[in-house]
Amino acid sequence: MTRVLLISYGAGHVRMTMPVYEFLRQTEGFEPVIVGLTSAWPVLEAAGLPHFAFRDLIRDGDDSALAWGEKLAQEHHNPDSGIPLEETVAYLGLCYDDLERRLGADRAAELLRASGRHAFLPLGPIRRLFDMVQPQVVVTTNSPKSERASVLVARERGIPSLSMVDLFGAGEMYTLCADRITVLCSITRDALVASGVDVRAIRVTGNPAFDSLVPYVAPADPQWTARHLSALPGPYVLWADQHAFLTSTTRRLHFRSEEETYQDLSHLHRACRIHGATLLIRPHPCQSALVHQRWLEDHPDCGAGLVADLPLYPLLQSVDAVLTFTSTVGLESVLLNRPTMTINSEPGSSDLPLADFGLSLAAVGMGDVPDKLGRLLFDPELHDRLETASRELVPDGRAAQRVGTLIGELASLQPEPRC
């Protein structure tokens, strides 16, 4: 029996891991164990999957780490995220305690001030996890802290590893060095190779998170649209909001304030009104919808609608255009052949560079949206170009199977010194 440890940090990445976990669970000879860190925790809880988390790594003698966790949680814990405070305290405390133990108190404090949580590389806590699970293969996605540490500890212990890259490999914060690296498409492969990743490790498999999208690569269901959207007139423009994004100049996460979110909704609504369209608002899963609800209450006759509770893929099928900063929903809309606009907060490259590959229409800031939205809604030549560019990416539903097959091959592989 091959015990496979699957580690995911964050709500988006765990959706890539879960289909692989299910494939391995149903395949003879595998014993998959899944770990959900920070915002991956509520996703796994909602799915009813047994899983480990950082709080399972706490042991006697961690009083100092927990004290640090409680202090840092005052600034970093978001009660609207669905993550238990206990998990946030364990994550922050163990990570900072590890940083201090490795680098010393002064250097740890300096890095925390300069880089925030990006200073973390929790090798010690991950070693504890490995001691608990005793994995024979380690599978991660491409997050730069706990998952990077997991690949390094796997290398340290002679355990083969695989990293799944979710999108296009743009702006990766470290050079991936797992024994196998699975990617969405050739665009991702080429971007990783250009950044220094060993091409021999890369396999184009597709993203397992998109396997469930396959049934929706079809025309919209008019009955579904009538049931859920008939109170609002079309055409429909979906705003896929998010709580944070990487800025192109600093490559740091910018966490959006409630004021910014509120102002953006006003800009987007005005753009939709210019073109006779209805704005549909979908907050990010890690984002509180309170500010969106307040905006709607302050604009009672605006004709916009909150669609947070509607299933995403039928919703994407039913809308006429999708707008986002860098949410994965932007890529999912491309895969479903919905005209998509990606909005850069400032000039420069995006960590979701759909427009660079002709997959979306780009706007620079909200001021650029009104003119571009008219083309996105009503320009058939643009629609044809976007559809042609997206053809290579359309999923076939077998990405999890491909990744699972690679995991089986890794079980007997001697790791190579790539890190």
Side-chain angles (χ1 to χ4, degrees), residues 128-163:
R128 289 189 190 184
L129 175 64
F130 280 37
D131 290 342
M132 289 171 55
V133 176
Q134 294 294 309
Q136 291 152 291
V137 179
V138 173
V139 177
T140 76
T141 65
N142 52 315
S143 292
K145 297 186 286 292
S146 300
E147 300 191 38
R148 180 187 182 192
S150 299
V151 172
L152 293 174
V153 173
R155 179 74 58 203
E156 172 184 291
R157 299 193 176 191
I159 302 170
S161 60
L162 180 148
S163 294

Side-chain angles (χ1 to χ4, degrees), residues 216-225 313-319 338:
Y216 300 95
V217 185
D221 177 356
Q223 293 182 342
W224 189 96
T225 305
Y313 293 164
L315 176 62
L316 287 175
Q317 274 187 305
S318 299
V319 302
R338 296 294 83 202

Side-chain angles (χ1 to χ4, degrees), residues 118-390:
H118 288 296
F120 295 159
L121 183 65
L123 297 168
I126 295 299
R127 291 183 184 115
R128 289 189 190 184
L129 175 64
F130 280 37
D131 290 342
M132 289 171 55
V133 176
Q134 294 294 309
Q136 291 152 291
V137 179
V138 173
V139 177
T140 76
T141 65
N142 52 315
S143 292
K145 297 186 286 292
S146 300
E147 300 191 38
R148 180 187 182 192
S150 299
V151 172
L152 293 174
V153 173
R155 179 74 58 203
E156 172 184 291
R157 299 193 176 191
I159 302 170
S161 60
L162 180 148
S163 294
M164 297 183 288
V165 178
D166 54 347
L167 301 175
F168 294 106
E172 294 292 340
M173 300 179 73
Y174 66 105
T175 301
L176 300 171
C177 60
D179 297 293
R180 291 291 179 268
I181 298 165
T182 64
V183 300
L184 173 69
C185 60
S186 61
I187 293 171
T188 314
R189 178 196 62 211
D190 295 346
L192 291 179
V193 171
S195 72
V197 175
D198 189 339
V199 69
R200 295 172 299 172
I202 301 174
R203 302 291 184 274
V204 177
T205 59
N207 183 333
F210 302 142
D211 285 352
S212 60
L213 184 146
V214 171
Y216 300 95
V217 185
D221 177 356
Q223 293 182 342
W224 189 96
T225 305
R227 276 198 310 275
H228 296 286
L229 301 178
S230 60
L232 300 168
Y236 302 114
V237 174
L238 177 65
W239 170 237
D241 206 350
Q242 58 198 108
H243 67 302
F245 52 75
L246 277 174
T247 60
S248 57
T249 51
T250 66
R251 304 308 297 168
R252 293 285 298 274
L253 271 177
H254 170 69
F255 290 91
R256 299 171 63 234
S257 67
E258 289 193 0
E259 181 181 358
E260 286 177 292
T261 301
Y262 191 99
Q263 291 175 349
D264 287 344
L265 291 171
S266 296
H267 286 304
L268 292 163
H269 178 249
R270 283 195 292 271
C272 288
R273 290 291 293 269
I274 289 171
H275 299 289
T278 291
L279 177 66
L280 303 178
I281 304 164
R282 184 181 188 271
H284 189 274
C286 293
Q287 192 175 27
S288 169
L290 292 177
V291 64
H292 306 83
Q293 293 166 349
R294 177 163 62 86
W295 185 89
L296 288 168
E297 290 168 2
D298 291 345
H299 301 79
D301 300 316
C302 69
L306 188 66
V307 291
D309 295 330
L310 293 181
L312 176 60
Y313 293 164
L315 176 62
L316 287 175
Q317 274 187 305
S318 299
V319 302
D320 298 278
V322 176
L323 278 61
T324 191
F325 289 118
T326 59
S327 169
T328 306
V329 173
L331 177 56
E332 290 168 315
S333 68
V334 167
L335 299 177
L336 292 177
N337 193 31
R338 296 294 83 202
T340 302
M341 183 189 301
T342 43
I343 303 171
N344 287 359
S345 61
E346 56 191 6
S349 60
S350 164
D351 62 326
L352 186 70
L354 297 174
D356 293 353
F357 308 113
L359 298 166
S360 73
L361 188 62
V364 179
M366 287 294 169
D368 202 20
V369 171
D371 287 343
K372 299 285 179 66
L373 184 57
R375 291 185 59 205
L376 196 70
L377 286 168
F378 305 119
D379 185 341
E381 291 185 6
L382 174 63
H383 294 176
D384 288 343
R385 288 202 301 274
L386 295 176
E387 180 181 5
T388 299
S390 70

